[in-house]
């Protein structure tokens, strides 16, 4: 009589039946699946001995259950990513979690060059100057509302230019007669000293410091013979072809101020009423 050949678990004969050995013990297929088969993470059913099984991070799947959560594409032979235990194909992962280029609205793929500013992202080739339309790349740029400019284009369009050298005024500068100047460009036309921060005037469109203007163009006070510049005690009195500083406009005899009072010219002199009467009585 032949030896018995039974399943090590249910003891049913294995003659004429498929079986699987585990550590020298033979099992019928139902017992093997019940004892050793893994449970599919997705459908929660056993993965039978003859099914293709996929394994990822301590989780087991039927081949047909190993799919992208978004597009349902099989991931058995595709690159994929796990996002909070959900499986996603690379396309769906990048569409959902990668940055979108604000210029072309396409995904900025991981590993590709991108630029980020103000919470937005661009492909490197999509981040272009609004003026010359050339890629800005790693160069400096200047935002203007929703547009971006390379420095040369921005300076050419928006930055004031110095009235003298015509170069851009990046910072600072001096304003004079509705024009802008570099501080170092606004100088006296006579002595060439800088005029920024000090009183100055002009003859026509040409700027002068007080000293040069006084020496070249200012009228002389008929009393003290100093220039009448219009600066400091700049008020003056004019009579016929003569001018006086306001403090110098006083009687030639008694030195009383004649500002706001009547006076009498006497050749090169000016007299108050009293001195004029005294002179007439003599």
């Amino acid at each position: 009589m032949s030896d018995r050949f039974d399943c090590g678990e249910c003891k049913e004969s294995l003659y004429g039946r498929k079986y699987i050995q585990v550590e020298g013990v033979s099992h019928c297929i139902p017992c093997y699946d019940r004892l050793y088969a893994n449970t599919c993470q997705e459908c929660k059913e056993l993965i039978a001995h003859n099914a293709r099984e996929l394994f990822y991070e301590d989780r087991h799947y039927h081949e047909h259950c190993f799919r992208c959560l978004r597009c349902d594409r099989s991931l058995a032979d595709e690159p994929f990513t796990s996002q909070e235990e959900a499986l996603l194909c690379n396309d769906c992962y990048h569409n959902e979690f990668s940055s979108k280029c604000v210029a072309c609205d396409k995904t900025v793929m991981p590993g590709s060059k991108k630029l980020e500013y103000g919470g937005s992202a661009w492909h490197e080739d999509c981040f272009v100057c609004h003026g010359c339309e050339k890629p800005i790349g790693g160069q400096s740029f200047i935002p203007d509302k929703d547009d971006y400019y390379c420095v040369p284009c921005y300076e050419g369009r928006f930055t004031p230019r110095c009235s003298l050298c015509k170069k851009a005024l990046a910072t600072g500068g001096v304003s004079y007669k509705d024009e802008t100047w570099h501080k170092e460009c606004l100088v006296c036309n006579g002595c060439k000293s800088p005029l920024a921060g000090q009183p100055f005037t002009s003859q026509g469109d040409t700027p002068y410091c007080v000293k040069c203007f006084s020496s070249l163009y200012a009228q002389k006070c008929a009393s003290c013979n100093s220039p009448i510049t219009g600066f400091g005690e700049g008020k003056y009195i004019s009579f016929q072809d003569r001018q006086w500083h306001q403090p110098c406009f006083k009687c030639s005899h008694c030195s009383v101020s004649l500002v706001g009072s009547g006076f009498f010219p006497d050749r090169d002199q000016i007299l108050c009423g009293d001195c004029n009467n005294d002179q007439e009585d003599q």
Side-chain angles (χ1 to χ4, degrees):
M1 188 173 179
S2 62
D3 294 335
R4 293 186 60 82
F5 183 44
D6 299 333
C7 171
E9 178 66 21
C10 67
K11 308 304 181 184
E12 292 185 4
S13 175
L14 296 177
Y15 284 115
R17 299 172 63 187
K18 290 183 179 181
Y19 64 92
I20 298 175
Q21 281 191 335
V22 178
E23 295 180 353
V25 178
S26 299
H27 297 275
C28 65
I29 298 303
C31 286
Y32 174 84
D33 286 344
R34 178 170 52 81
L35 292 173
Y36 298 106
N38 294 305
T39 301
C40 176
Q41 176 73 22
E42 183 66 23
C43 70
K44 309 306 180 187
E45 295 182 1
L46 291 177
I47 303 173
H49 72 284
N50 57 350
R52 184 181 177 188
E53 180 177 342
L54 299 177
F55 176 77
Y56 176 70
E57 291 189 350
D58 296 327
R59 290 173 284 174
H60 301 263
Y61 299 85
H62 292 105
E63 180 182 13
H64 60 272
C65 292
F66 196 65
R67 311 183 75 81
C68 173
L69 180 67
R70 295 287 182 268
C71 68
D72 207 34
R73 178 196 302 179
S74 172
L75 300 177
D77 300 306
E78 294 282 342
F80 64 91
T81 303
S82 176
Q83 182 68 22
E84 297 180 354
E85 297 190 358
L87 300 178
L88 300 171
C89 67
N90 278 2
D91 289 342
C92 289
Y93 176 81
H94 296 323
N95 287 335
E96 185 160 345
F97 298 104
S98 295
S99 302
K100 286 284 187 71
C101 174
V102 297
C104 68
D105 201 38
K106 294 181 180 178
T107 301
V108 182
M109 300 299 288
S112 62
K113 291 184 177 180
K114 71 174 180 178
L115 294 168
E116 293 182 302
Y117 177 76
S120 299
W122 291 262
H123 294 107
E124 185 179 42
D125 292 340
C126 291
F127 191 62
V128 299
C129 170
H130 189 70
C132 63
E133 297 185 352
K134 294 179 181 178
I136 294 175
Q139 302 176 56
S140 298
F141 65 91
I142 300 172
D144 181 62
K145 297 179 181 177
D146 294 329
D147 298 324
Y148 303 89
Y149 292 87
C150 64
V151 173
C153 283
Y154 186 85
E155 289 182 347
R157 289 186 176 216
F158 303 106
T159 305
R161 293 190 173 271
C162 175
S163 294
L164 180 66
C165 69
K166 308 305 179 185
K167 294 181 180 179
L169 282 146
T171 58
V174 179
S175 179
Y176 176 62
K177 285 192 172 182
D178 296 326
E179 295 182 336
T180 51
W181 311 62
H182 291 110
K183 289 183 178 180
E184 59 272 20
C185 289
L186 185 62
V187 297
C188 172
N189 192 57
C191 64
K192 307 304 179 184
S193 62
L195 297 177
Q198 64 171 307
F200 67 92
T201 186
S202 63
Q203 178 66 19
D205 293 329
T206 307
Y208 288 92
C209 68
V210 175
K211 183 177 179 181
C212 288
F213 180 83
S214 299
S215 133
L216 292 170
Y217 300 106
Q219 298 286 344
K220 299 292 194 300
C221 175
S223 176
C224 70
N225 204 38
S226 296
I228 299 173
T229 64
F231 296 95
E233 295 182 354
K235 293 182 179 181
Y236 66 96
I237 309 297
S238 179
F239 176 70
Q240 294 180 345
D241 59 349
R242 290 182 292 173
Q243 289 81 31
W244 292 263
H245 294 110
Q246 194 174 75
C248 295
F249 191 61
K250 51 192 177 182
C251 176
S252 301
H253 286 182
C254 69
S255 298
V256 67
S257 174
L258 298 177
V259 177
S261 303
F263 65 93
F264 297 88
D266 182 22
R267 293 185 295 276
D268 293 337
Q269 298 181 336
I270 52 173
L271 304 173
C272 65
D274 291 341
C275 289
N276 181 66
N277 291 336
D278 291 343
Q279 186 161 308
E280 288 180 353
D281 293 337
Q282 292 177 2

